Amino acid sequence: MHELLDIDGRLSRTLKTLFTKPGLASYEYDQGMRAKYTPPLRLYLVVSVIFFLLFSTFQQFFIVAEDYSASSLDLYSKAMFILFPLFAFYVKALYPSSYMVGNIVFSLHIHTMSYFVLILMGPLEVLEQKHTAFLILQAPILVYALWYFIKAFKTMYQASWWVTILKSGVIYLVYMASMGVMFDVVLVK
């Protein structure tokens, strides 16, 4: 409960840095400048709880899916606790000189931002069936998410743009494949 409810003045600085300077909060946290940021685990837990509450509410009102139950949502949330360290391991594999703790912090920040993107995208995806304007509104969010992902890697790991694009692309593809396998396994059970 302490991790979820103890929100202080660092939250606004952390969120502003996360949204406007991808990777900087992770980089500075890794460099020992931790006091000015909300702890990454606390931030991840708060945002993931908000995401799953909103998604659950959104699902009840807008999504009619007989095979998607609250237990599926619960399994999805549990799977994410396996997936975010897995992402950090993939990063470690392609950036072998990086430290695992820094990779976990980076993974927490990337997943936190992913939840924010999904919070914006979810309603637009459902509403796109009513009007194509909602499809068009998704484009800037997707461009921002792509830019964010690559820029965060560039800032955190300080590699050239070509190396960053290549490695972040490989990590993304392998991670998405792992996520697909994980959800197939978790949701089938």
Side-chain angles (χ1 to χ4, degrees):
M1 290 303 286
H2 174 73
E3 288 298 315
L4 291 174
L5 300 175
D6 188 26
I7 297 173
D8 52 25
R10 298 179 291 178
L11 179 64
S12 62
R13 180 184 307 115
T14 303
L15 290 175
K16 181 180 178 188
T17 303
L18 281 178
F19 280 101
T20 61
K21 298 174 183 170
L24 184 63
S26 302
Y27 179 77
E28 288 187 341
Y29 202 89
D30 191 45
Q31 298 299 310
M33 296 176 254
R34 298 178 176 155
K36 66 183 193 178
Y37 295 114
T38 300
L41 181 60
R42 179 183 304 158
L43 182 66
Y44 174 80
L45 289 173
V46 168
V47 173
S48 66
V49 165
I50 291 168
F51 169 76
F52 286 111
L53 286 173
L54 286 173
F55 189 84
S56 177
T57 304
F58 180 77
Q59 175 189 343
Q60 290 174 355
F61 287 110
F62 296 105
I63 301 173
V64 179
E66 297 153 9
D67 60 342
Y68 205 81
S69 63
S71 63
S72 297
L73 191 60
D74 185 47
L75 289 173
Y76 178 85
S77 64
K78 289 177 182 171
M80 289 311 295
F81 279 99
I82 296 168
L83 287 167
F84 86 77
L86 188 61
F87 182 88
F89 281 114
Y90 292 153
V91 171
K92 178 68 175 167
L94 289 181
Y95 292 94
S97 63
S98 64
Y99 293 104
M100 196 61 195
V101 172
N103 295 336
I104 289 173
V105 167
F106 181 68
S107 180
L108 287 167
H109 285 155
I110 288 289
H111 282 83
T112 299
M113 288 304 297
S114 297
Y115 285 139
F116 282 120
V117 168
L118 291 172
I119 286 169
L120 294 173
M121 290 293 290
L124 294 175
E125 285 184 5
V126 170
L127 294 171
E128 75 184 31
Q129 298 169 1
K130 297 187 185 290
H131 198 281
T132 56
F134 294 108
L135 180 63
I136 294 167
L137 288 173
Q138 293 176 48
I141 298 169
L142 291 173
V143 169
Y144 171 78
L146 177 63
W147 167 79
Y148 187 93
F149 189 75
I150 295 170
K151 178 67 173 144
F153 269 94
K154 173 76 173 133
T155 302
M156 179 66 179
Y157 298 103
Q158 305 288 306
S160 71
W161 277 108
W162 290 112
V163 169
T164 298
I165 290 168
L166 178 65
K167 288 185 177 185
S168 64
V170 168
I171 290 167
Y172 178 80
L173 292 174
V174 171
Y175 180 72
M176 285 297 158
S178 301
M179 184 183 289
V181 169
M182 172 71 74
F183 291 149
D184 284 346
V185 169
V186 168
L187 294 176
V188 165
K189 287 184 178 183

